[in-house]
Amino acid sequence: MSVYGGVEAGGTKFVCAIGSSPDKLEAEISFPTTTPQETIERTIAFFQEYQQRETLSAIGVGSFGPLDLTPTSPKFGYITATPKLGWANTDIYGRINRALGVPVGFDTDVNAAALGEATWGAAKGLETFVYLTVGTGIGGGGMANGQLLHGLLHPEMGHLRVPHDLDEDPYSGACSFHGDCFEGLAAGPALLGRWRGAAEELPPDHPAWRLEAHYLALGLVNLICTLSPQRIILGGGVMQQATLLPMVRRNVQQLLNGYISVPAILEQIDQYIVPGRLGNRAGVLGAIALAKEMTQGV
Amino acid sequence: MSVYGGVEAGGTKFVCAIGSSPDKLEAEISFPTTTPQETIERTIAFFQEYQQRETLSAIGVGSFGPLDLTPTSPKFGYITATPKLGWANTDIYGRINRALGVPVGFDTDVNAAALGEATWGAAKGLETFVYLTVGTGIGGGGMANGQLLHGLLHPEMGHLRVPHDLDEDPYSGACSFHGDCFEGLAAGPALLGRWRGAAEELPPDHPAWRLEAHYLALGLVNLICTLSPQRIILGGGVMQQATLLPMVRRNVQQLLNGYISVPAILEQIDQYIVPGRLGNRAGVLGAIALAKEMTQGV
């Protein structure tokens, strides 16, 4: 039985795990994201300790971005132009690969989470789906035709442009690049900026949630019209508010207004827009799934 | 040398051709789209005439939609809920397949055009790209990971929601489902409704084009953020105005504001957002490419 390593490389914390599936994890560790030097060294040390006793077949890394994912690029495997202090131009893939001497699968944190949900969770058996996380930012990944979404770079679903009714919502948006893009209007910092309250402090009947559901639905409609996903999986801290998801579903139906005339949207939207099954484990489990793919030639 | 049939089944006209590539076409015909009965019979008659003398290996059909493209569905190959009079619930795939007795490849008109551009035109060698046509409506297709975009249904890129500044542009939008969606603000009927002039009558320095470029760029930004295409190909009647494309490119750069930091967008956008190479032949040639795929087991 092969054993793999998985790294969820987040902007706030790193999670590393060793195992082969959600119910076969041998070890797990989590530590705050500090400097690249220190954080990557702790990551490597965790796996090296295991390698002194046992064999790791491969490592998967799902990382915050933006990333260079072009296999032929000299900077393949780098975190590139991130605003996160000290992390721009960090060769995370190469350092881990050289130190541990095993194949390394590498993708965005959200594509890793998407792969996790496809392997063991809410996207099992689907060819084309979206995984969207709504927290301190909005990030999206997923698959089209059974493969993770790549292309010129990787999706940046948080930066969709959506209608913004300034009369109803004069808040100017929190995105430092685009102001009132999707993330700028609907991620955690926008809730904080608009309502002066963190998402977890706003009561379920606060008007914040009606507006939040509206913006999230606008973003989802754009994803539906572009990718035609078979399912949309929503995760992240903001989605913890239980009243939100049913409102998002209703808003999506209202915005589409019957145009996409399929039962999945018209009748079974509760199974179409869903929470993840792996919860906040999707990232690190997905990283293990990335590692498995490295050894299976997918 | 195998010979194929291609059908571009448009809402205004049908184009049928016989051949194997852009420079190897043996026959072509075009006729207006009337009733399904009459139009499909003319299509079948054109190919049957050829079959009396020679062998057709397969037929490809790129059709206006919405379509049922789920292989396991009892209505696979139907035009489904179209508002076009008389055409809802039309089994276009099945009728052609039964009458001609050859394999039939079937997809949306825009996916067919995308495949045409991928096979012989501006998307050659690309794995992930978008083909967008801006005319009486806005339709989009393309590929992700080397395969045409499908999923729950097929893309409906015309119905993206984009910001609409009602102070600057009080026009309410032309989409009968969504009012001011992307198509509702930026397709030909919106130009006509907003400026009382058809696209081909508006002079190059008319303010219409500045606003049009803005809306088109908003749509393209949303496609870029979702799919991360390696290239975007623009076609359709509205794009015939030569001043438009350079303005769209500049607007896309301005809207992205350096966030997607890759040379293709920052420096080489003239090769990133491009007109098609097959022009208005993309649809029927793409239908021939669909037919070829049927016999090559792609």
Side-chain angles (χ1 to χ4, degrees):
Chain A
M1 184 78 196
S2 295
V3 177
Y4 307 89
V7 181
E8 181 187 355
T12 310
K13 64 173 180 173
F14 271 45
V15 183
C16 304
I18 291 168
S20 58
S21 70
D23 51 1
K24 288 195 185 109
L25 288 187
E26 304 188 16
E28 189 164 344
I29 190 175
S30 160
F31 43 85
T33 307
T34 58
T35 64
Q37 182 74 13
E38 183 180 46
T39 315
I40 295 173
E41 271 175 17
R42 282 187 81 164
T43 302
I44 289 167
F46 172 74
F47 293 113
Q48 278 178 334
E49 196 271 334
Y50 183 87
Q51 281 182 319
Q52 286 168 9
R53 296 173 285 119
E54 307 277 350
T55 301
L56 282 174
S57 299
I59 304 269
V61 179
S63 176
F64 75 92
L67 307 177
D68 188 335
L69 296 176
T70 304
T72 55
S73 164
K75 296 217 163 172
F76 171 79
Y78 278 59
I79 295 175
T80 58
T82 177
K84 190 171 168 63
L85 201 69
W87 282 83
N89 249 324
T90 297
D91 180 15
I92 182 167
Y93 162 88
R95 288 202 211 168
I96 291 174
N97 180 235
R98 284 190 298 272
L100 300 177
V102 295
V104 175
F106 185 68
D107 215 313
T108 61
D109 45 4
V110 276
N111 263 350
L115 183 62
E117 291 287 352
T119 310
W120 297 295
K124 228 171 151 173
L126 302 183
E127 294 274 304
T128 300
F129 70 94
V130 167
Y131 176 93
L132 196 80
T133 175
V134 187
T136 53
I138 294 182
M143 285 187 173
N145 299 316
Q147 290 179 62
L148 292 170
L149 283 169
H150 299 132
L152 179 67
L153 194 67
H154 47 71
E156 286 286 359
M157 297 182 192
H159 299 273
L160 294 168
R161 298 300 170 87
V162 295
H164 179 194
D165 182 345
L166 281 161
D167 290 335
E168 190 183 347
D169 173 30
Y171 178 64
S172 60
C175 175
S176 61
F177 283 87
H178 311 121
D180 62 353
C181 66
F182 186 30
E183 174 173 303
L185 290 172
L191 286 166
L192 195 62
R194 185 185 292 117
W195 305 104
R196 309 281 157 203
E200 59 271 25
E201 291 163 4
L202 297 167
D205 58 351
H206 193 285
W209 298 113
R210 196 189 51 75
L211 192 65
E212 180 70 13
H214 173 67
Y215 286 131
L216 290 177
L218 284 166
L220 298 197
V221 161
N222 285 353
L223 300 175
I224 291 168
C225 288
T226 305
L227 268 172
S228 194
Q230 295 163 297
R231 186 167 292 153
I232 294 176
I233 300 167
L234 293 175
V238 171
M239 296 308 302
Q240 297 305 306
Q241 174 53 256
T243 51
L244 188 53
L245 185 56
M247 285 197 287
V248 171
R249 291 173 178 142
R250 275 200 307 280
N251 274 270
V252 165
Q253 287 177 321
Q254 284 162 9
L255 285 167
L256 288 174
N257 194 23
Y259 185 74
I260 299 187
S261 179
V262 291
I265 290 175
L266 299 180
E267 298 156 24
Q268 295 146 21
I269 198 156
D270 291 1
Q271 284 83 57
Y272 184 67
I273 301 173
V274 301
R277 291 232 187 100
L278 306 181
N280 57 15
R281 321 287 322 274
V284 69
L285 290 170
I288 286 175
L290 275 176
K292 287 180 105 155
E293 286 207 339
M294 287 307 289
T295 57
Q296 288 160 7
V298 174
Chain B
M1 184 80 196
S2 295
V3 176
Y4 307 90
V7 182
E8 181 187 356
T12 310
K13 63 174 181 171
F14 271 46
V15 183
C16 304
I18 292 168
S20 58
S21 70
D23 51 2
K24 289 195 183 109
L25 289 186
E26 303 188 17
E28 190 164 344
I29 191 175
S30 160
F31 43 86
T33 308
T34 58
T35 63
Q37 181 74 14
E38 184 181 43
T39 315
I40 295 173
E41 271 175 16
R42 283 186 82 165
T43 302
I44 289 167
F46 172 74
F47 293 113
Q48 278 178 334
E49 196 271 333
Y50 183 86
Q51 282 183 317
Q52 285 168 8
R53 295 174 283 118
E54 306 279 350
T55 301
L56 281 174
S57 299
I59 305 269
V61 180
S63 177
F64 74 94
L67 307 177
D68 188 334
L69 295 177
T70 304
T72 54
S73 163
K75 295 218 165 172
F76 171 79
Y78 278 59
I79 295 173
T80 58
T82 178
K84 190 170 167 62
L85 201 69
W87 282 84
N89 249 323
T90 296
D91 180 15
I92 182 167
Y93 162 87
R95 287 203 212 167
I96 291 173
N97 180 235
R98 285 189 298 273
L100 299 177
V102 294
V104 176
F106 186 68
D107 215 312
T108 62
D109 45 5
V110 276
N111 263 349
L115 182 61
E117 292 286 352
T119 310
W120 298 293
K124 228 170 150 173
L126 302 182
E127 294 273 303
T128 300
F129 70 94
V130 166
Y131 176 94
L132 196 80
T133 175
V134 187
T136 53
I138 293 182
M143 286 188 173
N145 299 316
Q147 291 180 60
L148 292 170
L149 283 168
H150 298 131
L152 180 67
L153 193 65
H154 47 70
E156 286 286 359
M157 297 182 192
H159 299 274
L160 294 168
R161 297 302 170 87
V162 294
H164 179 194
D165 182 346
L166 281 161
D167 291 334
E168 190 183 347
D169 173 30
Y171 179 64
S172 61
C175 175
S176 61
F177 283 87
H178 312 120
D180 61 354
C181 66
F182 186 29
E183 173 173 303
L185 290 173
L191 285 166
L192 195 62
R194 184 186 292 117
W195 305 104
R196 309 282 157 203
E200 59 274 24
E201 291 162 5
L202 297 166
D205 59 350
H206 194 284
W209 299 114
R210 197 189 52 76
L211 193 65
E212 180 71 12
H214 173 68
Y215 287 131
L216 290 177
L218 284 166
L220 298 198
V221 161
N222 284 354
L223 300 175
I224 291 168
C225 288
T226 305
L227 268 171
S228 195
Q230 295 163 296
R231 186 168 291 154
I232 294 177
I233 300 167
L234 294 176
V238 172
M239 296 309 302
Q240 297 305 307
Q241 173 53 256
T243 51
L244 188 54
L245 186 55
M247 285 197 288
V248 170
R249 291 174 178 142
R250 276 200 306 279
N251 274 270
V252 165
Q253 287 177 321
Q254 282 161 9
L255 285 166
L256 287 174
N257 193 24
Y259 185 74
I260 298 186
S261 179
V262 291
I265 290 175
L266 298 180
E267 298 156 26
Q268 295 146 19
I269 199 156
D270 291 2
Q271 284 82 56
Y272 185 67
I273 302 173
V274 301
R277 290 232 187 99
L278 306 181
N280 59 15
R281 323 285 323 273
V284 70
L285 290 170
I288 286 176
L290 275 176
K292 286 180 105 155
E293 286 208 339
M294 286 308 288
T295 57
Q296 288 160 6
V298 174

